[in-house]
Amino acid sequence: MRGYYLIVLALVALLAGCGGGGGSSVQNFTYQTLWNTPSGGIDGQSQLIELFDQNNILRFSAAIDKPMSSHIIYEVPNGLYHLHVVLYALPAEQGALVGLLDDQISVTGSVTYRTSVGPAITSVKLNPSSATLAVQHSQQFYAHSETGAHTPTFTSPNGFTWQTTGGVANVDSNGIVVGTAAGMGSVTATNVDQNIPGSASLTIQDSTPTHGKWTVIVFMNASNDLWPYSTLNMNQMEKVAQNPDVRFVVEWKESTNVDSSSTFNSTRRYLVKADTTSNIASQVIQDLGPGYDMGSAVNMADFIAWAKANYPADRYCVVVWNHGKGWMRAESQSRGVSYDAETGHHIDTWQLSQAFGNGVNDIVAWDSSLMQQIEVDDEIRDKATYIVGSEESPPAAGYPYDTIFAHFRDNPDDTTLNLAKTFVDETLTAYGTTFNITQSVIDTSQLPALVTATNGLADALINDVGSLGTIAPLVRSNAQGYDDVVIHGHYRDLYDVCLKLENFGAPPDVVTAEQAVRTAVGQAVAYNGHNQNSPGSHGISIDFSDSVSFTTGNPPLSQDYANLRFAQDTDWDQWLAIAP
């Protein structure tokens, strides 16, 4: 028996979030499906119907089983939606996933969407059917198969291949098109099973990069528990984005797979626009879609290169926004920064040189914990003129971007060092004594001398290890430390370690060596600030573990430490391997 069976999608949330579509008006949305006797198409017994808004947030969800006869109508707010329908082999969304249907629909009045199960596929349709976009901007296309009656029907999973023509754009496997050159072209999706293509036209408009004085490049990985603060920080940037010579370019990820309350589900590249409201007014230049990995050094380097190519400037400030763990975190055996909780990946410390790509950045700022460490700084000493960061774990809300970058906005011709200092001063002002605040600016031109001096200290400690059985533990217990409760490691302020070695009676050759390190720290730390909660902070930390902590674990910390440039530049790892 043939017939249309109706179901309407149940409302699970109101439209909200950054850059979302929709409006206050609501309309009826009716989903119809015709269960046919199979005649060359894909057959199934049940469907899961989902509507995603323009933020890739699931707003409506419902299921239909063959041969459902009832129909229910609900109300859907106006807007553009991604309709995603999954066809299952068995009733109640059980068995194999046998078919998919993706489309873009516009709800501006009462809408009925009809599909068919079982008929042969005769054509492929893309939505939108045409698009005009600028070079380096993106457009999401959706493809679905149709029957001879032009009714949408199902395609096997991964059933389309994508390509572009005209040399004006690229397209990925998800149908995201990025304009690459001005001109006319098309995007084509081909049904793999039937080798049937469908196309949409493309018009790519020229977008000539303009040169500024500063481009601030923010790699903002909010695919983790820090995501609520990402909107705060974006709003802060919007407050100070009035100077066209100081531009903010942000790659921002949130994931509903990590937290269902996230405001969008994607990775987006924004050009920040001036705005003083609590909404996000900035322009999405590219939407890379869900699932993009921001725990990848390759992807971070790609974003930095993209930002510099499209928003060139006299000087660049790169901010890495996420959790950071210095060079290591003992209990989880993970070392690095930019932890993407959706993919489970992060950038290891020894991948940082790769992550920053080619060229030297004027400022690299760590809006991440524990990264102002000699082991980290040595990795990127040829990637930055100045490195700004914290020896400690800063507050979750991170840098006060509005007050820091107000100085860039108002004084873009000031020296790089003076502008780097504003990270220190404004962070101290913003948080007072509520948290343990440390911030410093490292002059990377002075790092080689500091690394050399630290190697000399390592050799002296190794030579006198027999005399340090009680002194080394006293230094470890009394030198200024950072976030031991979290990392169960031994990050200590390098200068304070040296001072404590002298105070606790280290042998003369160790004292001579530590004094050289203190001199080198004073030259490498161009600016330093801390509040009363971290009085022994002088701007750069080091791992001062004992040998048991360093040489045990699975794998032992020593194995990963050997990957560091600092371990290759010095004998510090040899000291840690025998340290009392």
mmCIF file with all atom_site columns, all heavy atoms in Angstrom, residues 98-121:
data_model
loop_
_atom_site.group_PDB
_atom_site.id
_atom_site.type_symbol
_atom_site.label_atom_id
_atom_site.label_alt_id
_atom_site.label_comp_id
_atom_site.label_asym_id
_atom_site.label_entity_id
_atom_site.label_seq_id
_atom_site.pdbx_PDB_ins_code
_atom_site.Cartn_x
_atom_site.Cartn_y
_atom_site.Cartn_z
_atom_site.occupancy
_atom_site.B_iso_or_equiv
_atom_site.pdbx_formal_charge
_atom_site.auth_seq_id
_atom_site.auth_comp_id
_atom_site.auth_asym_id
_atom_site.auth_atom_id
_atom_site.pdbx_PDB_model_num
ATOM 1   N N   . VAL A 1 98  ? 22.051 2.820  6.163   1.00 0.00 ? 98  VAL A N   1
ATOM 2   C CA  . VAL A 1 98  ? 22.088 2.451  4.751   1.00 0.00 ? 98  VAL A CA  1
ATOM 3   C C   . VAL A 1 98  ? 21.994 3.641  3.803   1.00 0.00 ? 98  VAL A C   1
ATOM 4   O O   . VAL A 1 98  ? 22.346 3.531  2.625   1.00 0.00 ? 98  VAL A O   1
ATOM 5   C CB  . VAL A 1 98  ? 20.975 1.438  4.409   1.00 0.00 ? 98  VAL A CB  1
ATOM 6   C CG1 . VAL A 1 98  ? 21.236 0.116  5.109   1.00 0.00 ? 98  VAL A CG1 1
ATOM 7   C CG2 . VAL A 1 98  ? 19.595 1.994  4.782   1.00 0.00 ? 98  VAL A CG2 1
ATOM 8   N N   . GLY A 1 99  ? 21.507 4.786  4.304   1.00 0.00 ? 99  GLY A N   1
ATOM 9   C CA  . GLY A 1 99  ? 21.341 5.922  3.411   1.00 0.00 ? 99  GLY A CA  1
ATOM 10  C C   . GLY A 1 99  ? 21.355 7.239  4.148   1.00 0.00 ? 99  GLY A C   1
ATOM 11  O O   . GLY A 1 99  ? 21.041 7.313  5.347   1.00 0.00 ? 99  GLY A O   1
ATOM 12  N N   . LEU A 1 100 ? 21.731 8.318  3.418   1.00 0.00 ? 100 LEU A N   1
ATOM 13  C CA  . LEU A 1 100 ? 21.748 9.673  3.961   1.00 0.00 ? 100 LEU A CA  1
ATOM 14  C C   . LEU A 1 100 ? 21.074 10.615 2.979   1.00 0.00 ? 100 LEU A C   1
ATOM 15  O O   . LEU A 1 100 ? 21.100 10.402 1.764   1.00 0.00 ? 100 LEU A O   1
ATOM 16  C CB  . LEU A 1 100 ? 23.184 10.150 4.214   1.00 0.00 ? 100 LEU A CB  1
ATOM 17  C CG  . LEU A 1 100 ? 24.010 9.427  5.269   1.00 0.00 ? 100 LEU A CG  1
ATOM 18  C CD1 . LEU A 1 100 ? 25.428 9.974  5.280   1.00 0.00 ? 100 LEU A CD1 1
ATOM 19  C CD2 . LEU A 1 100 ? 23.379 9.583  6.650   1.00 0.00 ? 100 LEU A CD2 1
ATOM 20  N N   . LEU A 1 101 ? 20.534 11.673 3.527   1.00 0.00 ? 101 LEU A N   1
ATOM 21  C CA  . LEU A 1 101 ? 19.988 12.743 2.705   1.00 0.00 ? 101 LEU A CA  1
ATOM 22  C C   . LEU A 1 101 ? 20.312 14.063 3.386   1.00 0.00 ? 101 LEU A C   1
ATOM 23  O O   . LEU A 1 101 ? 19.982 14.254 4.569   1.00 0.00 ? 101 LEU A O   1
ATOM 24  C CB  . LEU A 1 101 ? 18.477 12.585 2.538   1.00 0.00 ? 101 LEU A CB  1
ATOM 25  C CG  . LEU A 1 101 ? 17.782 13.482 1.500   1.00 0.00 ? 101 LEU A CG  1
ATOM 26  C CD1 . LEU A 1 101 ? 16.481 12.827 1.034   1.00 0.00 ? 101 LEU A CD1 1
ATOM 27  C CD2 . LEU A 1 101 ? 17.474 14.872 2.045   1.00 0.00 ? 101 LEU A CD2 1
ATOM 28  N N   . ASP A 1 102 ? 20.989 14.964 2.655   1.00 0.00 ? 102 ASP A N   1
ATOM 29  C CA  . ASP A 1 102 ? 21.350 16.272 3.187   1.00 0.00 ? 102 ASP A CA  1
ATOM 30  C C   . ASP A 1 102 ? 20.835 17.350 2.254   1.00 0.00 ? 102 ASP A C   1
ATOM 31  O O   . ASP A 1 102 ? 20.980 17.259 1.026   1.00 0.00 ? 102 ASP A O   1
ATOM 32  C CB  . ASP A 1 102 ? 22.869 16.408 3.323   1.00 0.00 ? 102 ASP A CB  1
ATOM 33  C CG  . ASP A 1 102 ? 23.428 15.565 4.452   1.00 0.00 ? 102 ASP A CG  1
ATOM 34  O OD1 . ASP A 1 102 ? 23.252 15.961 5.614   1.00 0.00 ? 102 ASP A OD1 1
ATOM 35  O OD2 . ASP A 1 102 ? 24.029 14.510 4.168   1.00 0.00 ? 102 ASP A OD2 1
ATOM 36  N N   . ASP A 1 103 ? 20.264 18.385 2.847   1.00 0.00 ? 103 ASP A N   1
ATOM 37  C CA  . ASP A 1 103 ? 19.749 19.487 2.046   1.00 0.00 ? 103 ASP A CA  1
ATOM 38  C C   . ASP A 1 103 ? 19.762 20.752 2.891   1.00 0.00 ? 103 ASP A C   1
ATOM 39  O O   . ASP A 1 103 ? 19.845 20.701 4.125   1.00 0.00 ? 103 ASP A O   1
ATOM 40  C CB  . ASP A 1 103 ? 18.324 19.182 1.573   1.00 0.00 ? 103 ASP A CB  1
ATOM 41  C CG  . ASP A 1 103 ? 17.918 19.974 0.333   1.00 0.00 ? 103 ASP A CG  1
ATOM 42  O OD1 . ASP A 1 103 ? 18.718 20.816 -0.128  1.00 0.00 ? 103 ASP A OD1 1
ATOM 43  O OD2 . ASP A 1 103 ? 16.803 19.736 -0.165  1.00 0.00 ? 103 ASP A OD2 1
ATOM 44  N N   . GLN A 1 104 ? 19.682 21.872 2.206   1.00 0.00 ? 104 GLN A N   1
ATOM 45  C CA  . GLN A 1 104 ? 19.510 23.155 2.877   1.00 0.00 ? 104 GLN A CA  1
ATOM 46  C C   . GLN A 1 104 ? 18.090 23.627 2.615   1.00 0.00 ? 104 GLN A C   1
ATOM 47  O O   . GLN A 1 104 ? 17.636 23.648 1.466   1.00 0.00 ? 104 GLN A O   1
ATOM 48  C CB  . GLN A 1 104 ? 20.503 24.182 2.343   1.00 0.00 ? 104 GLN A CB  1
ATOM 49  C CG  . GLN A 1 104 ? 20.420 25.537 3.044   1.00 0.00 ? 104 GLN A CG  1
ATOM 50  C CD  . GLN A 1 104 ? 21.347 26.548 2.408   1.00 0.00 ? 104 GLN A CD  1
ATOM 51  O OE1 . GLN A 1 104 ? 21.127 27.025 1.303   1.00 0.00 ? 104 GLN A OE1 1
ATOM 52  N NE2 . GLN A 1 104 ? 22.429 26.861 3.111   1.00 0.00 ? 104 GLN A NE2 1
ATOM 53  N N   . ILE A 1 105 ? 17.390 23.994 3.684   1.00 0.00 ? 105 ILE A N   1
ATOM 54  C CA  . ILE A 1 105 ? 16.012 24.446 3.520   1.00 0.00 ? 105 ILE A CA  1
ATOM 55  C C   . ILE A 1 105 ? 15.850 25.805 4.172   1.00 0.00 ? 105 ILE A C   1
ATOM 56  O O   . ILE A 1 105 ? 16.529 26.141 5.147   1.00 0.00 ? 105 ILE A O   1
ATOM 57  C CB  . ILE A 1 105 ? 15.007 23.444 4.126   1.00 0.00 ? 105 ILE A CB  1
ATOM 58  C CG1 . ILE A 1 105 ? 15.234 23.285 5.628   1.00 0.00 ? 105 ILE A CG1 1
ATOM 59  C CG2 . ILE A 1 105 ? 15.079 22.113 3.423   1.00 0.00 ? 105 ILE A CG2 1
ATOM 60  C CD1 . ILE A 1 105 ? 14.144 22.508 6.315   1.00 0.00 ? 105 ILE A CD1 1
ATOM 61  N N   . SER A 1 106 ? 14.953 26.577 3.641   1.00 0.00 ? 106 SER A N   1
ATOM 62  C CA  . SER A 1 106 ? 14.623 27.888 4.180   1.00 0.00 ? 106 SER A CA  1
ATOM 63  C C   . SER A 1 106 ? 13.199 27.839 4.713   1.00 0.00 ? 106 SER A C   1
ATOM 64  O O   . SER A 1 106 ? 12.262 27.503 3.984   1.00 0.00 ? 106 SER A O   1
ATOM 65  C CB  . SER A 1 106 ? 14.750 28.961 3.095   1.00 0.00 ? 106 SER A CB  1
ATOM 66  O OG  . SER A 1 106 ? 14.334 30.220 3.596   1.00 0.00 ? 106 SER A OG  1
ATOM 67  N N   . VAL A 1 107 ? 13.053 28.174 5.973   1.00 0.00 ? 107 VAL A N   1
ATOM 68  C CA  . VAL A 1 107 ? 11.737 28.237 6.587   1.00 0.00 ? 107 VAL A CA  1
ATOM 69  C C   . VAL A 1 107 ? 11.329 29.698 6.677   1.00 0.00 ? 107 VAL A C   1
ATOM 70  O O   . VAL A 1 107 ? 11.866 30.452 7.490   1.00 0.00 ? 107 VAL A O   1
ATOM 71  C CB  . VAL A 1 107 ? 11.741 27.582 7.976   1.00 0.00 ? 107 VAL A CB  1
ATOM 72  C CG1 . VAL A 1 107 ? 10.375 27.735 8.653   1.00 0.00 ? 107 VAL A CG1 1
ATOM 73  C CG2 . VAL A 1 107 ? 12.112 26.114 7.880   1.00 0.00 ? 107 VAL A CG2 1
ATOM 74  N N   . THR A 1 108 ? 10.431 30.112 5.798   1.00 0.00 ? 108 THR A N   1
ATOM 75  C CA  . THR A 1 108 ? 9.900  31.479 5.808   1.00 0.00 ? 108 THR A CA  1
ATOM 76  C C   . THR A 1 108 ? 8.383  31.470 5.768   1.00 0.00 ? 108 THR A C   1
ATOM 77  O O   . THR A 1 108 ? 7.757  32.503 5.644   1.00 0.00 ? 108 THR A O   1
ATOM 78  C CB  . THR A 1 108 ? 10.439 32.287 4.611   1.00 0.00 ? 108 THR A CB  1
ATOM 79  O OG1 . THR A 1 108 ? 10.123 31.582 3.403   1.00 0.00 ? 108 THR A OG1 1
ATOM 80  C CG2 . THR A 1 108 ? 11.940 32.472 4.717   1.00 0.00 ? 108 THR A CG2 1
ATOM 81  N N   . GLY A 1 109 ? 7.821  30.327 5.829   1.00 0.00 ? 109 GLY A N   1
ATOM 82  C CA  . GLY A 1 109 ? 6.380  30.124 5.839   1.00 0.00 ? 109 GLY A CA  1
ATOM 83  C C   . GLY A 1 109 ? 6.146  28.651 6.091   1.00 0.00 ? 109 GLY A C   1
ATOM 84  O O   . GLY A 1 109 ? 7.089  27.898 6.354   1.00 0.00 ? 109 GLY A O   1
ATOM 85  N N   . SER A 1 110 ? 4.917  28.215 6.029   1.00 0.00 ? 110 SER A N   1
ATOM 86  C CA  . SER A 1 110 ? 4.647  26.794 6.227   1.00 0.00 ? 110 SER A CA  1
ATOM 87  C C   . SER A 1 110 ? 5.323  25.987 5.125   1.00 0.00 ? 110 SER A C   1
ATOM 88  O O   . SER A 1 110 ? 5.149  26.272 3.939   1.00 0.00 ? 110 SER A O   1
ATOM 89  C CB  . SER A 1 110 ? 3.141  26.544 6.218   1.00 0.00 ? 110 SER A CB  1
ATOM 90  O OG  . SER A 1 110 ? 2.547  27.170 7.338   1.00 0.00 ? 110 SER A OG  1
ATOM 91  N N   . VAL A 1 111 ? 6.100  24.968 5.522   1.00 0.00 ? 111 VAL A N   1
ATOM 92  C CA  . VAL A 1 111 ? 6.936  24.217 4.590   1.00 0.00 ? 111 VAL A CA  1
ATOM 93  C C   . VAL A 1 111 ? 6.597  22.735 4.692   1.00 0.00 ? 111 VAL A C   1
ATOM 94  O O   . VAL A 1 111 ? 6.463  22.191 5.793   1.00 0.00 ? 111 VAL A O   1
ATOM 95  C CB  . VAL A 1 111 ? 8.433  24.430 4.892   1.00 0.00 ? 111 VAL A CB  1
ATOM 96  C CG1 . VAL A 1 111 ? 9.294  23.543 4.008   1.00 0.00 ? 111 VAL A CG1 1
ATOM 97  C CG2 . VAL A 1 111 ? 8.807  25.891 4.722   1.00 0.00 ? 111 VAL A CG2 1
ATOM 98  N N   . THR A 1 112 ? 6.461  22.095 3.545   1.00 0.00 ? 112 THR A N   1
ATOM 99  C CA  . THR A 1 112 ? 6.352  20.637 3.484   1.00 0.00 ? 112 THR A CA  1
ATOM 100 C C   . THR A 1 112 ? 7.527  20.109 2.683   1.00 0.00 ? 112 THR A C   1
ATOM 101 O O   . THR A 1 112 ? 7.760  20.557 1.557   1.00 0.00 ? 112 THR A O   1
ATOM 102 C CB  . THR A 1 112 ? 5.038  20.198 2.828   1.00 0.00 ? 112 THR A CB  1
ATOM 103 O OG1 . THR A 1 112 ? 3.938  20.661 3.608   1.00 0.00 ? 112 THR A OG1 1
ATOM 104 C CG2 . THR A 1 112 ? 4.970  18.682 2.726   1.00 0.00 ? 112 THR A CG2 1
ATOM 105 N N   . TYR A 1 113 ? 8.249  19.175 3.265   1.00 0.00 ? 113 TYR A N   1
ATOM 106 C CA  . TYR A 1 113 ? 9.410  18.583 2.598   1.00 0.00 ? 113 TYR A CA  1
ATOM 107 C C   . TYR A 1 113 ? 9.124  17.111 2.372   1.00 0.00 ? 113 TYR A C   1
ATOM 108 O O   . TYR A 1 113 ? 8.879  16.360 3.320   1.00 0.00 ? 113 TYR A O   1
ATOM 109 C CB  . TYR A 1 113 ? 10.663 18.760 3.448   1.00 0.00 ? 113 TYR A CB  1
ATOM 110 C CG  . TYR A 1 113 ? 11.942 18.429 2.710   1.00 0.00 ? 113 TYR A CG  1
ATOM 111 C CD1 . TYR A 1 113 ? 12.670 19.417 2.066   1.00 0.00 ? 113 TYR A CD1 1
ATOM 112 C CD2 . TYR A 1 113 ? 12.418 17.115 2.648   1.00 0.00 ? 113 TYR A CD2 1
ATOM 113 C CE1 . TYR A 1 113 ? 13.844 19.132 1.385   1.00 0.00 ? 113 TYR A CE1 1
ATOM 114 C CE2 . TYR A 1 113 ? 13.581 16.813 1.960   1.00 0.00 ? 113 TYR A CE2 1
ATOM 115 C CZ  . TYR A 1 113 ? 14.288 17.822 1.332   1.00 0.00 ? 113 TYR A CZ  1
ATOM 116 O OH  . TYR A 1 113 ? 15.446 17.531 0.643   1.00 0.00 ? 113 TYR A OH  1
ATOM 117 N N   . ARG A 1 114 ? 9.134  16.689 1.101   1.00 0.00 ? 114 ARG A N   1
ATOM 118 C CA  . ARG A 1 114 ? 8.785  15.316 0.740   1.00 0.00 ? 114 ARG A CA  1
ATOM 119 C C   . ARG A 1 114 ? 10.025 14.536 0.319   1.00 0.00 ? 114 ARG A C   1
ATOM 120 O O   . ARG A 1 114 ? 10.845 15.041 -0.458  1.00 0.00 ? 114 ARG A O   1
ATOM 121 C CB  . ARG A 1 114 ? 7.768  15.315 -0.392  1.00 0.00 ? 114 ARG A CB  1
ATOM 122 C CG  . ARG A 1 114 ? 6.418  15.921 -0.018  1.00 0.00 ? 114 ARG A CG  1
ATOM 123 C CD  . ARG A 1 114 ? 5.467  15.909 -1.195  1.00 0.00 ? 114 ARG A CD  1
ATOM 124 N NE  . ARG A 1 114 ? 4.129  16.332 -0.790  1.00 0.00 ? 114 ARG A NE  1
ATOM 125 C CZ  . ARG A 1 114 ? 3.728  17.604 -0.797  1.00 0.00 ? 114 ARG A CZ  1
ATOM 126 N NH1 . ARG A 1 114 ? 4.577  18.558 -1.174  1.00 0.00 ? 114 ARG A NH1 1
ATOM 127 N NH2 . ARG A 1 114 ? 2.509  17.910 -0.418  1.00 0.00 ? 114 ARG A NH2 1
ATOM 128 N N   . THR A 1 115 ? 10.134 13.320 0.789   1.00 0.00 ? 115 THR A N   1
ATOM 129 C CA  . THR A 1 115 ? 11.213 12.420 0.388   1.00 0.00 ? 115 THR A CA  1
ATOM 130 C C   . THR A 1 115 ? 10.616 11.094 -0.059  1.00 0.00 ? 115 THR A C   1
ATOM 131 O O   . THR A 1 115 ? 9.429  10.821 0.159   1.00 0.00 ? 115 THR A O   1
ATOM 132 C CB  . THR A 1 115 ? 12.201 12.169 1.539   1.00 0.00 ? 115 THR A CB  1
ATOM 133 O OG1 . THR A 1 115 ? 11.557 11.392 2.548   1.00 0.00 ? 115 THR A OG1 1
ATOM 134 C CG2 . THR A 1 115 ? 12.713 13.470 2.116   1.00 0.00 ? 115 THR A CG2 1
ATOM 135 N N   . SER A 1 116 ? 11.473 10.269 -0.645  1.00 0.00 ? 116 SER A N   1
ATOM 136 C CA  . SER A 1 116 ? 11.026 8.971  -1.140  1.00 0.00 ? 116 SER A CA  1
ATOM 137 C C   . SER A 1 116 ? 12.100 7.933  -0.840  1.00 0.00 ? 116 SER A C   1
ATOM 138 O O   . SER A 1 116 ? 13.295 8.207  -0.967  1.00 0.00 ? 116 SER A O   1
ATOM 139 C CB  . SER A 1 116 ? 10.772 9.053  -2.647  1.00 0.00 ? 116 SER A CB  1
ATOM 140 O OG  . SER A 1 116 ? 10.184 7.871  -3.129  1.00 0.00 ? 116 SER A OG  1
ATOM 141 N N   . VAL A 1 117 ? 11.655 6.738  -0.453  1.00 0.00 ? 117 VAL A N   1
ATOM 142 C CA  . VAL A 1 117 ? 12.565 5.632  -0.150  1.00 0.00 ? 117 VAL A CA  1
ATOM 143 C C   . VAL A 1 117 ? 12.362 4.530  -1.190  1.00 0.00 ? 117 VAL A C   1
ATOM 144 O O   . VAL A 1 117 ? 11.228 4.097  -1.419  1.00 0.00 ? 117 VAL A O   1
ATOM 145 C CB  . VAL A 1 117 ? 12.303 5.067  1.261   1.00 0.00 ? 117 VAL A CB  1
ATOM 146 C CG1 . VAL A 1 117 ? 13.226 3.881  1.549   1.00 0.00 ? 117 VAL A CG1 1
ATOM 147 C CG2 . VAL A 1 117 ? 12.464 6.148  2.320   1.00 0.00 ? 117 VAL A CG2 1
ATOM 148 N N   . GLY A 1 118 ? 13.436 4.091  -1.833  1.00 0.00 ? 118 GLY A N   1
ATOM 149 C CA  . GLY A 1 118 ? 13.361 2.928  -2.715  1.00 0.00 ? 118 GLY A CA  1
ATOM 150 C C   . GLY A 1 118 ? 13.509 3.166  -4.191  1.00 0.00 ? 118 GLY A C   1
ATOM 151 O O   . GLY A 1 118 ? 14.051 2.305  -4.900  1.00 0.00 ? 118 GLY A O   1
ATOM 152 N N   . PRO A 1 119 ? 13.029 4.313  -4.784  1.00 0.00 ? 119 PRO A N   1
ATOM 153 C CA  . PRO A 1 119 ? 13.130 4.474  -6.241  1.00 0.00 ? 119 PRO A CA  1
ATOM 154 C C   . PRO A 1 119 ? 14.567 4.649  -6.709  1.00 0.00 ? 119 PRO A C   1
ATOM 155 O O   . PRO A 1 119 ? 15.458 5.031  -5.940  1.00 0.00 ? 119 PRO A O   1
ATOM 156 C CB  . PRO A 1 119 ? 12.319 5.744  -6.513  1.00 0.00 ? 119 PRO A CB  1
ATOM 157 C CG  . PRO A 1 119 ? 11.527 5.996  -5.294  1.00 0.00 ? 119 PRO A CG  1
ATOM 158 C CD  . PRO A 1 119 ? 12.289 5.409  -4.158  1.00 0.00 ? 119 PRO A CD  1
ATOM 159 N N   . ALA A 1 120 ? 14.770 4.421  -7.973  1.00 0.00 ? 120 ALA A N   1
ATOM 160 C CA  . ALA A 1 120 ? 16.085 4.610  -8.572  1.00 0.00 ? 120 ALA A CA  1
ATOM 161 C C   . ALA A 1 120 ? 16.446 6.090  -8.586  1.00 0.00 ? 120 ALA A C   1
ATOM 162 O O   . ALA A 1 120 ? 15.582 6.968  -8.700  1.00 0.00 ? 120 ALA A O   1
ATOM 163 C CB  . ALA A 1 120 ? 16.100 4.057  -9.991  1.00 0.00 ? 120 ALA A CB  1
ATOM 164 N N   . ILE A 1 121 ? 17.742 6.344  -8.502  1.00 0.00 ? 121 ILE A N   1
ATOM 165 C CA  . ILE A 1 121 ? 18.267 7.711  -8.541  1.00 0.00 ? 121 ILE A CA  1
ATOM 166 C C   . ILE A 1 121 ? 18.462 8.107  -10.006 1.00 0.00 ? 121 ILE A C   1
ATOM 167 O O   . ILE A 1 121 ? 19.054 7.363  -10.787 1.00 0.00 ? 121 ILE A O   1
ATOM 168 C CB  . ILE A 1 121 ? 19.602 7.785  -7.782  1.00 0.00 ? 121 ILE A CB  1
ATOM 169 C CG1 . ILE A 1 121 ? 19.372 7.489  -6.291  1.00 0.00 ? 121 ILE A CG1 1
ATOM 170 C CG2 . ILE A 1 121 ? 20.269 9.139  -7.971  1.00 0.00 ? 121 ILE A CG2 1
ATOM 171 C CD1 . ILE A 1 121 ? 20.644 7.238  -5.524  1.00 0.00 ? 121 ILE A CD1 1
#
